[in-house]
Amino acid sequence: VVVVADPLPETVLGPLLGHDVRFCDGSDPSALKEALGDAHALLVRSSTQVDRSVLAEAPYLRIIARAGVGLDNIDVEAATQAGVLVANAPRSNVLSVAEMTVGSMITGLRNLLPANAALRSGRWDRGRYQGRELSRSTVGLVGLGHVGTLVAQLLRPFAVRLLVHDPFVSVHHAASVGAQLVDLDELLAQSDVVSVHVPRTPQTKGLIGERELRLAKPSLLLVNTARGGIVDEGALNAALKEKSIGGAVIDVFEIEPAIGNPLIDHASVLATPHLGAGTREAQERAGREAVTAVLQALAGHPVPTAVNPPASHP
Ligand code: MLT
C-alpha cells in the first residue's frame, strides 16, 4: 500500500502500477493517520507533516519518500527510531529554485511588481520605479550547498562581487564559484543583495534576526527562497516597516499557507506562495526520484537517496 499525501504529477506514478496506490490530503493529520493504518510507503511534498504521532499510527510503514529537498516537515529521528527509511530527492528542484532566485533579484531590484500594479490601476509612473542594476553589485549568499552554488554560477554573467557565508564549505569551493568566504556580519554589512540558501534546522532558525538586519545597508534586498523562519519574521517586518532595509523577496514563510502574514502587505516585498520548486520539470524529477526510492525500499533494495540509516523493520 502506497499513500500519496501531497499532489504529485500523474506522469510519475506509472511505475507504481501493481501496488495499491491511495491518495489522501496530508495537510489533514487525521486523514493522514487513517490512511497510514496499513501503508507500507508514504510519498509527500512539503505540506504533509510527519511527526512522531503520525508515525505511531503507521505500524507497517517502511519508507517516507519526500518529492523535494527540505526535510523539515519530517521527524527523521522519530522515523529512524521507528525503523522507517526517509529519502529525499536532493538535486531534483535546485535548478528551478536557483533560476527563480536570480529572476526575483532582478524583479525586486527593478520594482517590477509595484510598477505593474500601479499601471494596472491607471498610473504611468516611470520616475517612481527607478531601480538598480544587479550587474557589478555585491551579492551575499548565506549557504553554498546545491542551490547556493547554482545561484553563484547563474550570477556569473552579471560580474557581481560574490560573498558567501557557510561554515561547512572550504575557501577552495567558494573560490571555485568566484566567491569570497566571509562571516555573516561582514556579508550583511557589505551586500546589496543577500540570498538565503540553508535548510531550516534548530541551528539556522532565526539566523538572520534583529541584530543582523541592523548591520545591513538601507538599500538591501533580502531574498529568501529557502525556508521560512531562517530570517526572523518579526525582525524582518520591523526592518521593512522602518525602512531600514530596501525590500525583500519572500517565497517561504514560517507558517504556510501564509495567509494574513503581515510581511505580504509591504509594498517593498515581493511575496510568493512557496513557488521555488514549482516548475513542471522540477516536480517531475522530484516525483520520479521519490517513486524510485519507494520501489527500491519495497523491493528490499538499498535506497541511495535515504538520509537515515537502513531500517530493520519489525
Ligand atoms: C524543497 O524543499 O524541495 C522545496 O522547498 C520544494 C517543496 O517543498 O516542495
Side-chain angles (χ1 to χ4, degrees):
V1 175
V2 179
V3 170
V4 181
D6 283 310
L8 290 178
E10 251 173 54
T11 47
V12 306
L13 299 177
L16 291 172
L17 196 76
H19 294 274
D20 183 353
V21 180
R22 299 178 192 164
F23 298 87
C24 84
D25 174 5
S27 64
D28 173 352
S30 46
L32 179 65
K33 287 175 184 168
E34 200 185 319
L36 287 178
D38 57 354
H40 304 99
L42 171 64
L43 276 158
V44 299
R45 284 186 63 194
S46 60
S47 304
T48 301
Q49 301 293 322
V50 188
D51 59 16
R52 215 171 267 282
S53 74
V54 169
L55 287 160
E57 305 292 324
Y60 304 105
L61 197 63
R62 289 190 222 159
I63 179 161
I64 303 163
R66 162 77 165 98
V69 180
L71 289 163
D72 46 304
N73 57 323
I74 299 169
D75 186 337
V76 178
E77 198 185 312
T80 309
Q81 285 164 6
V84 177
L85 272 185
V86 178
N88 66 351
R91 285 177 188 260
S92 56
N93 56 32
V94 293
L95 182 59
S96 292
V97 179
E99 282 186 0
M100 186 169 117
T101 301
V102 175
S104 68
M105 286 178 186
I106 297 173
T107 308
L109 288 171
R110 298 300 301 271
N111 304 311
L112 296 183
L113 287 194
N116 175 257
L119 187 53
R120 283 211 173 130
S121 65
R123 276 180 289 128
W124 182 269
D125 213 349
R126 296 178 73 199
R128 183 155 178 194
Y129 298 108
Q130 186 180 67
R132 287 172 293 147
E133 288 181 348
L134 176 60
S135 294
R136 285 171 296 281
S137 65
T138 299
V139 176
L141 302 180
V142 181
L144 195 63
H146 296 321
V147 179
T149 299
L150 270 174
V151 170
Q153 287 164 350
L154 293 179
L155 284 174
R156 226 168 237 163
F158 295 92
V160 298
R161 175 176 170 238
L162 201 56
L163 305 178
V164 163
H165 171 69
D166 189 330
F168 299 103
V169 308
S170 63
V171 175
H172 178 72
H173 177 53
S176 74
V177 294
Q180 182 194 346
L181 265 187
V182 294
D183 66 29
L184 185 59
D185 286 5
E186 190 179 343
L187 179 142
L188 280 155
Q190 295 201 20
S191 299
D192 300 300
V193 178
V194 167
S195 192
V196 179
H197 301 291
V198 291
R200 181 171 61 200
T201 65
Q203 290 74 33
T204 62
K205 192 160 185 289
L207 184 68
I208 299 179
E210 189 188 336
R211 190 193 71 81
E212 290 72 23
L213 289 172
R214 291 217 179 280
L215 300 170
K217 290 183 182 179
S219 57
L220 174 72
L221 177 71
L222 180 65
V223 180
N224 187 2
T225 54
R227 274 298 180 275
I230 297 164
V231 181
D232 182 274
E233 290 191 350
L236 179 57
N237 195 33
L240 290 162
K241 225 184 214 161
E242 64 197 36
K243 297 193 176 10
S244 66
I245 67 168
V249 172
I250 312 170
D251 185 47
V252 284
F253 296 84
E254 189 145 9
I255 297 172
E256 295 179 2
I259 304 300
N261 188 312
L263 288 171
I264 296 168
D265 295 329
H266 291 278
S268 57
V269 167
L270 190 179
T272 42
H274 200 145
L275 288 184
T279 63
R280 192 178 56 209
E281 293 84 352
Q283 288 313 309
E284 282 182 359
R285 279 192 297 266
R288 264 199 306 273
E289 284 179 34
V291 167
T292 301
V294 165
L295 293 172
Q296 288 162 336
L298 295 184
H301 296 148
V303 180
T305 51
V307 299
N308 60 349
S312 57
H313 197 271

